[in-house]
Amino acid sequence: MKLALDQIAESPKDISFSERVEELNLIYKGEDKVRDFRFPSFLDVNLVYYRSGREIFFQGRFGGTIEGRCSRCLKSYSFPIEKEFDFVLTPQPLSAKSKELNRDEMGLSFYAAEEINLSPLIMEQVLLALPIRPLCEDGCRGFCGGCGVDLNYEPCICASVPGDPRMAIFRTLKLGR
Ligand SMILES: [Zn+2]
Ligand SMILES: [Zn+2]
């Protein structure tokens, strides 16, 4: 979503739109923290924005469905994501140094062009809303480190029958899946 600066007034405006976020699948593919998520093409965004002096204020929320891979059992699952966010854009300062200082210390972002591109800001919010460890459900028991069974479906066989040669073949089969 892009907004022309001269369209932003002091009285708040309320808009709804679909933000394209499928880019997240490419940009962050290599990073550990989001490798286990699959993003839809679009998320629904609702946004209120207004200007106060030279600063521009945004308050919004987004919602949609994201696919995750459970960090315990590795199963894919879908979960709803919804987040409220707000940020303030302030004019780009002349010195690049002060830009970094301000951004880190005050959490501010800047605008420099005649047009504000909200897409990177919204995608950043989407990443912030992701769970740190994706779990298909809170109680997911995952795999047994010993025999490799999915403990959600089967009881562990390594603890109950340690070293039973008749079980060895099952162990191999399960691990080979
Ligand atoms: Zn799971
Ligand atoms: Zn086991």
Side-chain angles (χ1 to χ4, degrees), residues 70-75 135-137 140-142 152:
C70 178
S71 58
R72 288 191 194 144
C73 71
L74 305 181
K75 217 167 24 195
L135 287 180
C136 63
E137 50 188 283
C140 175
R141 301 175 65 199
N152 294 305

Side-chain angles (χ1 to χ4, degrees), residues 18-90:
S18 287
E19 179 66 40
R20 184 179 279 273
V21 296
E22 62 191 350
E23 224 182 303
L24 288 172
N25 290 314
L26 302 172
I27 298 177
Y28 297 98
K29 195 161 67 176
E31 289 190 25
D32 282 350
K33 59 178 175 173
V34 284
R35 190 183 50 199
D36 293 333
F37 297 103
R38 176 100 209 134
F39 300 92
S41 300
F42 296 95
L43 289 177
D44 296 324
V45 181
N46 184 263
L47 191 68
V48 176
Y49 60 91
Y50 59 94
R51 173 196 296 276
S52 177
R54 302 186 69 201
E55 297 187 331
I56 303 171
F57 293 78
F58 296 88
Q59 289 162 2
R61 64 163 61 226
F62 61 77
T65 303
I66 289 180
E67 198 180 296
R69 195 178 62 158
C70 178
S71 58
R72 288 191 194 144
C73 71
L74 305 181
K75 217 167 24 195
S76 286
Y77 69 105
S78 292
F79 61 98
I81 192 170
E82 195 179 317
K83 185 177 192 279
E84 293 187 6
F85 60 87
D86 52 82
F87 49 81
V88 182
L89 299 187
T90 196

Side-chain angles (χ1 to χ4, degrees), residues 5 89-93 109-116:
L5 271 190
L89 299 187
T90 196
Q92 177 92 57
S109 295
F110 302 100
Y111 65 88
E114 294 301 298
E115 191 174 66
I116 295 176

Side-chain angles (χ1 to χ4, degrees), residues 144 147 156-158:
C144 170
C147 63
C156 166
I157 54 174
C158 59

